């Protein structure tokens, strides 16, 4: 399968560039969820990142993921 190096902005993965598997139409998923296992007294959690376009100086664009704060997603559903 093909993958694309995709930048993460915000949250614990801020500044990292990870290879993300592409769909059959060569797009990265709209929402990327990262499961975080429980550790010591901290319960298991899921980090949620949403896909947005990033434009460079020449007008070309690439996808990147921006962190969705845990409270922001609950507020958006209401």
């Amino acid at each position: 399968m093909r993958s694309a190096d995709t930048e993460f902005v915000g949250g614990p993965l801020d500044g990292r560039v990870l290879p993300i598997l592409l769909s059959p139409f060569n797009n990265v998923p709209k929402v990327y969820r990262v499961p975080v296992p429980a550790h010591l007294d901290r319960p298991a959690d899921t980090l949620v990142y949403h896909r947005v376009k990033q434009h460079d100086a020449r007008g070309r664009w690439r996808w990147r993921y921006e962190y969705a704060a845990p409270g922001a997603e609950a507020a958006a559903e209401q």
Side-chain angles (χ1 to χ4, degrees):
M1 292 195 81
R2 292 188 55 186
S3 64
D5 290 338
T6 308
E7 180 184 5
F8 286 79
V9 177
L13 297 178
D14 188 30
R16 294 189 186 190
V17 177
L18 300 175
I20 305 297
L21 292 177
L22 298 176
S23 72
F25 300 107
N26 290 329
N27 285 327
V28 295
K30 290 182 181 179
V31 177
Y32 190 75
R33 298 177 194 279
V34 181
V36 179
H39 183 67
L40 298 175
D41 60 341
R42 192 175 61 205
D45 195 14
T46 301
L47 303 175
V48 179
Y49 286 85
H50 293 280
R51 178 181 77 178
V52 294
K53 277 187 180 179
Q54 175 184 7
H55 296 275
D56 65 5
R58 293 183 174 178
R60 294 179 293 188
W61 60 271
R62 293 184 62 140
W63 294 116
R64 75 174 185 191
Y65 283 109
E66 289 186 356
Y67 181 66
E73 197 165 296
E77 291 176 0
Q78 293 178 354

